[in-house]
Amino acid sequence: MSQIIPITPTDATSSQAPEQEEVVSSGLTVSPPLSLYIHIPWCVRKCPYCDFNSHESRSEIPEAAYVDALVADLEQSVPRIWGRRVQSIFFGGGTPSLFSAESIDRILSQVRALVPLSSHAEVTLEANPGTVDAQHFRGYRDAGVNRLSLGIQSFDSHYLEKLGRIHDEHQAMAAAELALSTFDSVNFDVMYALPGQTLAHALADAERACQLGPAHLSFYHLTLEPNTPFHRTPPALPDDDTSASMQEAIEDILIGHSYQHYETSAFARPGKQCRHNQNYWLFGDYLGIGAGAHSKLSFHDRITRESRHKHPRQYLQHAAQGNAMDQQWSIPRDELPFEFMMNALRLTSGFSAELFEQRTGLALSEIEDTLQLAISKGLLSRTQISQAPNHVAGAENLSSTTIAPTALGQRFLNELLQLFLI
């Protein structure tokens, strides 16, 4: 792992800088859009399928001290993102809705004070139906949260109990309706292929979610992740054929309700795609603060990743001492194609050749053999799109190459991605 020496900013822009991408000196010619991820690591009870960095709140959460640590972490990070405008903020967890509206307000106030924040920034907070009420929701909205992501998972108490969730179907419905009446933009997280779940019950969840009409829906296939109770003692899950039938039928239901399937697990009303997650998938930059949070930051000569100290207790200690970051490393050049594809190929519409070159600093020709192999296997498509000429005298028609996963490639995404592993 190579050691990174922080760069001292030499061309800082003020917090009133125009909302545009910044030009850097060489290598990567344009800095990607920048997002901010804020990790809240505590939850009431850890679900048996969850492999996120989350910790049960068995005693009082040190909320005020953790907010102090987040602010210190951001202050320590400012030199690496100096002058760059933050386009979106995402509070993830854990269960961020365990924190008071006052704490969320203080965090966002400090963000605005320390970094340039887009006037139209998308600010998302994840919430658990079992930890919220009208007062919480109004407080989050007043603090500046303009998008709520609600962890419904199922509208059926039987399956919620199987998943170890702390809420039941009545709380799920109440929280969903409250969220929709409080926020202009709401996402529901729903899972399928649950222990013992039938096709009819999976489709009932999809229909219920569509009838409520949130701007965005995320439907995830339950997977047995390593180092989880479900992985150690697997429950009886639907077989592969039933799971595939669930996936196809759910997609049909959502499309029938005017949701656009724009990413592997994401569906949105027109214009309501999650901008924060899209920035991940388009290989944009993001700064992650909080226990165990990860970052990806681009410089003129390299693309780096960072991680914070993982355990909340260690994170609190190190952030107070001025070293919240645990590790930092550069992505090797030969790993950049896979890193890019691991994100961009989740998008059903794919990506442009120009974007690949902008975000990696590599020429598309460097992966031409792999692209051809994927196309020959029916996993990728490549389309040449003609664009209208500009109005400069003598300008020729422009064209753009779009690369996208086929329906087969979307279904066998892991197999497609493996082609790009060096």
Side-chain angles (χ1 to χ4, degrees), residues 309-350:
H309 291 276
K310 189 172 183 179
H311 195 280
R313 184 169 55 252
Q314 294 175 334
Y315 174 76
L316 286 166
Q317 176 184 350
H318 285 281
Q321 294 172 350
N323 57 344
M325 191 193 319
D326 183 29
Q327 297 182 71
Q328 186 184 50
W329 65 98
S330 291
I331 303 175
R333 178 186 174 89
D334 60 2
E335 293 179 11
L336 282 170
F338 175 74
E339 292 265 354
F340 178 90
M341 296 298 176
M342 185 170 57
N343 293 279
L345 289 181
R346 294 182 62 90
L347 293 168
T348 58
S349 60

Side-chain angles (χ1 to χ4, degrees), residues 126-202:
E126 289 184 332
N128 185 317
T131 64
V132 292
D133 53 35
Q135 184 176 357
H136 272 85
F137 277 176
R138 287 194 300 268
Y140 297 145
R141 181 195 60 197
D142 294 344
V145 174
N146 53 32
R147 183 176 183 273
L148 193 85
S149 183
L150 196 58
I152 297 288
Q153 313 312 351
S154 176
F155 291 98
D156 188 319
S157 292
H158 172 75
Y159 296 111
L160 289 169
E161 183 178 358
K162 293 282 188 182
L163 289 173
R165 302 294 292 181
I166 64 171
H167 66 278
D168 60 23
E169 61 189 77
H170 303 294
Q171 291 171 304
M173 281 297 297
E177 292 170 350
L178 180 60
L180 292 168
S181 66
T182 308
F183 296 91
D184 291 333
S185 188
V186 175
N187 168 67
F188 295 162
D189 280 347
V190 186
M191 302 177 75
Y192 65 94
L194 308 179
Q197 190 177 41
T198 65
L199 176 60
H201 286 162

Side-chain angles (χ1 to χ4, degrees), residues 37 39-43 45-56 90-96 126 149 151 153 165 189 191 220-221 223 225-229 291-294 310-312:
Y37 175 79
H39 191 69
I40 310 293
W42 290 281
C43 53
R45 183 171 67 206
K46 193 169 178 72
C47 299
Y49 57 84
C50 178
D51 68 339
F52 295 150
N53 182 34
S54 57
H55 303 262
E56 291 188 8
F90 197 104
F91 288 88
T95 305
E126 289 184 332
S149 183
Q153 313 312 351
R165 302 294 292 181
D189 280 347
M191 302 177 75
Y220 299 104
H221 186 298
T223 55
E225 301 292 346
N227 302 315
T228 63
H294 287 252
K310 189 172 183 179
H311 195 280

Side-chain angles (χ1 to χ4, degrees), residues 232-246:
R232 291 189 290 270
T233 308
L237 300 178
D239 60 35
D240 290 344
D241 289 341
T242 302
S243 297
S245 296
M246 289 178 179

